Amino acid sequence: VSYSWDASGLFGSAEQKQMANAEQFQTLVNQYLDKTKSRCAGDFAASPVPTMPSAGVQVASYEIACISPDGNGATAALAFYGKNGLFTTVAHEASMETMDMAMDARDRVLASVVK
């Protein structure tokens, strides 16, 4: 299942897929990051962001950036969570100038998941 939206200068997307087991969570996070890196024609960086643990929910958060050879760039704030056998990715993509908006949107998603 996948969804997308465009609001207030942010492009958002969400994907969900079944997890065979809880151990698969980090593998799915890594696969998403690897797939995103493969689409970047320039320099790619992915930085994990500390997240609050929650009972029954696996959570990971990242900020990523792709800087093209001509100096243009794109960024995204990512939230990954796993619960009840379902792996969910929520991405908010933004320009370098509006990355703070993407991070705020990601943090609101995580706040609603991690209670």
Side-chain angles (χ1 to χ4, degrees):
V1 177
S2 64
Y3 305 92
S4 65
W5 57 93
D6 190 353
S8 302
L10 294 178
F11 174 76
S13 63
E15 300 176 21
Q16 292 184 311
K17 62 173 77 173
Q18 293 293 316
M19 284 192 304
N21 54 53
E23 291 76 31
Q24 191 180 17
F25 178 80
Q26 191 59 51
T27 300
L28 292 172
V29 169
N30 292 341
Q31 286 175 352
Y32 185 96
L33 294 172
D34 289 343
K35 180 177 76 172
T36 304
K37 181 179 180 178
S38 73
R39 293 181 187 159
C40 178
D43 294 324
F44 180 82
S47 299
V49 177
T51 55
M52 296 297 295
S54 179
V57 181
Q58 295 173 280
V59 179
S61 177
Y62 283 80
E63 293 166 5
I64 62 172
C66 175
I67 308 299
S68 64
D70 64 6
N72 291 320
T75 62
L78 307 174
F80 302 98
Y81 62 93
K83 183 176 181 180
N84 298 328
L86 192 62
F87 177 79
T88 303
T89 303
V90 179
H92 289 93
E93 299 174 32
S95 67
M96 297 292 202
E97 295 79 24
T98 58
M99 182 57 172
D100 59 333
M101 293 170 51
M103 292 184 304
D104 288 343
R106 181 222 31 232
D107 293 346
R108 286 192 305 273
V109 168
L110 288 175
S112 70
V113 172
V114 180
K115 294 183 179 190

